[in-house]
Amino acid sequence: SLELAFAGHENRTVSVILITISVLFLAYGVLTALRGASTITAGPDGLSISGPLPRQIGWNELTDIRLGYYATRRDGEEGWMELVLRGGGKRIRIDSDIEGFVDIAERCLEWARARELALSDATSRNFDMALSAGFKDGRLLIPQELREQKRQR
């Protein structure tokens, strides 16, 4: 049997919890490093990610696009977005904290419209916000009028 010790005492529960938390932080660190080493390109043929885990979805393969908004404040004034593209059996997720997020989102929306993909109401509203709001340090700053429209719905 594996015996784990914590502060000189056998306490498996605390040790397992600490090891689990350490593994989760390590995994998060590895994913962050991989993401930082990747480059996203919205080119004429599709969206591609180059780097340690390369992926590509051609515009002609695009079957679904979603843009989610996640508030970081109770009033919804600040938050971050996540763009998810699906097509050809692949999925690409892009967070709003990357440089050029709005340009990439706008290009993806153009292709979604060209392919006549149905967008959910939430995705349509979120594209309106993304294309008219500002970003600071990867956080979306929503104008007051858009926050009020979002609350009314």
Side-chain angles (χ1 to χ4, degrees):
S1 88
L2 177 63
E3 296 203 18
L4 302 172
F6 178 72
H9 296 62
E10 290 184 16
N11 191 332
R12 289 187 183 128
T13 303
V14 172
S15 295
V16 168
I17 290 171
L18 289 175
I19 290 170
T20 302
I21 290 171
S22 298
V23 168
L24 290 174
F25 274 105
L26 178 64
Y28 179 77
V30 168
L31 289 175
T32 301
L34 290 174
R35 195 174 81 183
S38 299
T39 303
I40 300 171
T41 306
D45 297 326
L47 188 83
S48 63
I49 298 178
S50 59
L53 301 172
R55 293 178 303 272
Q56 179 176 357
I57 295 178
W59 297 127
N60 60 345
E61 299 175 304
L62 190 61
T63 57
D64 187 36
I65 183 170
R66 294 173 193 239
L67 183 61
Y69 172 68
Y70 305 95
T72 56
R73 291 176 39 162
R74 189 177 193 108
D75 65 3
E77 186 174 331
E78 292 183 17
W80 58 278
M81 300 190 113
E82 180 182 70
L83 178 64
V84 179
L85 304 173
R86 287 187 171 86
K90 297 171 265 185
R91 181 182 75 164
I92 294 179
R93 290 181 338 154
I94 304 169
D95 290 336
S96 60
D97 63 350
I98 66 160
E99 188 175 327
F101 176 80
V102 173
D103 295 331
I104 292 169
E106 190 170 23
R107 186 75 184 268
C108 292
L109 179 60
E110 289 170 6
W111 277 99
R113 286 180 175 155
R115 292 193 41 80
E116 298 180 350
L117 297 180
L119 301 179
S120 70
D121 290 341
T123 292
S124 294
R125 284 192 307 269
N126 291 337
F127 269 112
D128 289 342
M129 281 194 307
L131 300 178
S132 63
F135 281 86
K136 180 181 180 187
D137 299 327
R139 298 227 184 258
L140 183 69
L141 303 174
I142 302 173
Q144 180 68 30
E145 63 210 40
L146 286 175
R147 282 198 313 271
E148 289 172 8
Q149 287 175 9
K150 189 171 176 95
R151 283 190 198 122
Q152 292 173 0
R153 290 186 177 146

